[in-house]
């Protein structure tokens, strides 16, 4: 029997539980020659803002021993051009579109949600790791009250599925709870971990933006722990992200409590990663005689409770 791996998150139907993570798969259509996009469960766009952004000065990406540091700085074409130029092209592939949004103020998120509610967009992923310029640049998602207020504003204006993507802060549990209480349908975690690389010859930071976000295999154990803890306290689903390169990595996240996963840095190495990881999940399920992926969600925790 074919294992059942599809799922539904607050009305958003996903034919498999593996999504490309924001910022690592462009607007999707850049890969249409290389990847059969209709086999993906959805596209999550790179982060979009109200106005176009040029992003941080180069260099923007540096490899580390076990991952990647990036300081792209949310470079994007702005919501207006996205709707005109990219959205109709993505729609040709007949898969759900999840738009990742970012902002410098809470009002910017609200406006984006209002604009996108009128478009053919199945879901929003609200990236609350962005710096809040009205509060000295600390990420919205570091403070439960501020995180909740952003989600509340988005929820008021967007009528379909809303994911809250939260940063890996120490107080991740209260932040996740605040997002749930204000109407998020799912929590995506984790975003990158703020980090630094130094060039000892120039004796300066390597990245133009000084600090960057660490992603890839190095962050997987941190992300797994956070998925475990956050899924313990929430009623809404958790989507696990962080260093997933193989079907086995994805299974670890699902056993820790994630209902679905996102794949980021692995796309930079192999754009077919999501499809290969989906196959890996199916092979594991066949090998273990598991018929429905829901049987695996949080299973590693059963002895704990
Ligand atoms: C180059 C790059 C750009 C990214 N841009 C975004 C973005 O625009 N919005 C966002 O929410 N996350 C962004 N992320 C974070 C990823 O979506 C993901 O949360 C993170 O990389 C951890 O997953 P991974 O270890 O599989 O890469 C970016 C990551 C990378 C490497």
């Amino acid at each position: 029997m074919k294992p059942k791996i599809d799922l539904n998150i607050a009305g958003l139907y996903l034919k498999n539980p593996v999504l490309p993570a924001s910022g690592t798969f462009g607007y999707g259509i850049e890969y249409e020659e290389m990847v059969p996009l209709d086999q993906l469960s959805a596209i999550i766009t790179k982060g979009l803002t109200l106005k176009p952004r040029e992003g941080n000065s180069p260099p923007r990406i540096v490899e580390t021993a076990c991952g990647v540091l990036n300081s792209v700085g949310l470079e994007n074409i702005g919501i207006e051009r996205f709707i005109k130029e990219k959205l109709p092209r993505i729609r040709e592939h007949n898969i759900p579109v999840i738009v990742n949004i970012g902002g410098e103020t809470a009002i910017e998120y609200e406006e984006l949600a209002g604009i996108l509610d009128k478009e053919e967009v199945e879901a929003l992923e609200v990236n609350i790791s962005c710096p809040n310029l009205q509060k000295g640049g600390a990420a919205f998602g570091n403070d439960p009250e501020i995180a909740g207020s952003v989600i509340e504003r988005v929820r008021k204006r967007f009528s379909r599925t809303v994911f809250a993507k939260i940063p890996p802060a120490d107080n991740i549990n209260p932040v996740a709870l605040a997002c749930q209480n204000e109407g998020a349908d799912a929590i995506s975690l984790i975003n990158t971990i703020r980090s630094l690389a130094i060039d000892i010859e120039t004796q300066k930071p390597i990245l133009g933006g000084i600090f960057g976000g660490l992603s890839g295999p190095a962050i997987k154990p941190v992300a797994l722990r956070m998925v475990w803890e956050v899924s313990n306290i929430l009623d809404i689903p958790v989507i696990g992200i962080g260093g997933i390169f193989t079907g086995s990595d994805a299974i670890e996240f699902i056993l820790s409590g994630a209902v679905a996963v996102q794949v980021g840095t692995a796309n930079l190495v192999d754009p077919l990663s999501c499809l290969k990881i989906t196959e890996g999940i199916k092979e594991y399920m066949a090998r273990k005689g598991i018929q429905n992926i829901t049987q695996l969600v949080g299973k590693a925790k059963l002895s704990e409770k």
Side-chain angles (χ1 to χ4, degrees):
M1 217 177 88
K2 248 171 94 182
K4 185 170 155 38
I5 56 166
D6 59 342
L7 69 154
N8 194 305
I9 301 179
L12 172 70
Y13 176 76
L14 300 174
K15 61 177 171 276
N16 70 62
V18 185
L19 300 148
S22 176
T24 64
F25 206 66
Y27 301 106
I29 45 182
E30 296 87 338
Y31 293 92
E32 63 195 356
E33 303 285 310
M34 269 177 280
V35 181
L37 297 180
D38 61 336
Q39 288 181 27
L40 293 174
S41 54
I43 289 292
I44 302 184
T45 67
K46 67 151 72 190
L48 281 150
T49 48
L50 219 40
K51 299 271 168 273
R53 279 175 62 136
E54 285 188 3
N56 290 333
S57 43
R60 292 171 166 189
I61 290 217
V62 55
E63 268 192 54
T64 66
C66 209
V68 162
L69 263 185
N70 91 81
S71 75
V72 173
L74 279 191
E75 181 209 347
N76 77 95
I77 57 174
I79 199 66
E80 219 171 280
R81 275 187 62 199
F82 168 77
I83 289 168
K84 254 195 226 132
E85 297 169 22
K86 307 287 180 188
L87 186 56
R89 295 275 325 283
I90 311 174
R91 294 245 57 111
E92 286 172 19
H93 293 278
N94 268 325
I95 43 172
V97 180
I98 302 168
V99 177
N100 179 288
I101 57 170
E104 290 176 353
T105 63
I107 305 223
E108 204 177 322
Y109 285 93
E110 184 176 338
E111 282 183 38
L112 281 162
I115 293 169
L116 288 163
D117 192 47
K118 299 186 190 76
E119 302 297 326
E120 247 191 291
V121 158
E122 278 78 4
L124 295 187
E125 183 174 67
V126 187
N127 173 11
I128 50 173
S129 303
C130 301
N132 178 354
L133 292 194
Q134 284 166 335
K135 295 272 170 175
F140 290 93
N142 284 349
D143 179 316
E145 215 171 294
I146 296 172
S149 78
V150 172
I151 298 302
E152 183 193 6
R153 283 170 184 273
V154 169
R155 181 73 286 170
K156 265 199 314 220
R157 302 286 296 273
F158 191 77
S159 52
R160 297 175 295 281
T161 306
V162 172
F163 299 171
K165 182 163 176 186
I166 60 180
D170 289 344
N171 60 348
I172 194 159
N173 286 1
V175 168
L177 266 177
C179 294
Q180 171 178 281
N181 292 344
E182 296 304 339
D185 297 303
I187 302 288
S188 308
L189 64 119
I190 61 175
N191 212 314
T192 54
I193 300 176
R194 201 166 139 86
S195 305
L196 176 65
I198 302 281
D199 180 334
I200 61 164
E201 296 310 319
T202 63
Q203 302 176 341
K204 291 195 161 71
I206 296 180
L207 292 171
I210 303 181
F211 299 119
L214 181 64
S215 64
I219 71 169
K220 193 181 93 178
V222 179
L224 273 171
R225 188 267 294 174
M226 290 183 167
V227 165
W228 177 295
E229 289 188 341
V230 170
S231 62
N232 269 349
I233 58 156
L234 294 189
D235 301 318
I236 56 173
V238 168
I239 301 168
I241 321 166
I244 298 176
F245 272 63
T246 63
S248 311
D249 294 331
I251 294 289
E252 280 189 66
F253 275 85
I254 294 165
L255 291 170
S256 292
V259 303
V261 295
Q262 293 181 19
V263 175
T265 305
N267 286 319
L268 310 180
V269 183
D270 179 1
L272 290 168
S273 292
C274 285
L275 299 181
K276 291 180 180 171
I277 290 166
T278 304
E279 281 313 304
I281 292 173
K282 285 198 228 161
E283 278 162 28
Y284 174 85
M285 289 173 68
R287 180 160 66 80
K288 292 281 187 190
I290 308 279
Q291 267 141 35
N292 191 329
I293 196 152
T294 55
Q295 292 167 256
L296 293 174
V297 176
K299 198 169 174 212
K301 297 195 284 205
L302 286 181
S303 54
E304 189 211 34
K305 279 183 174 169

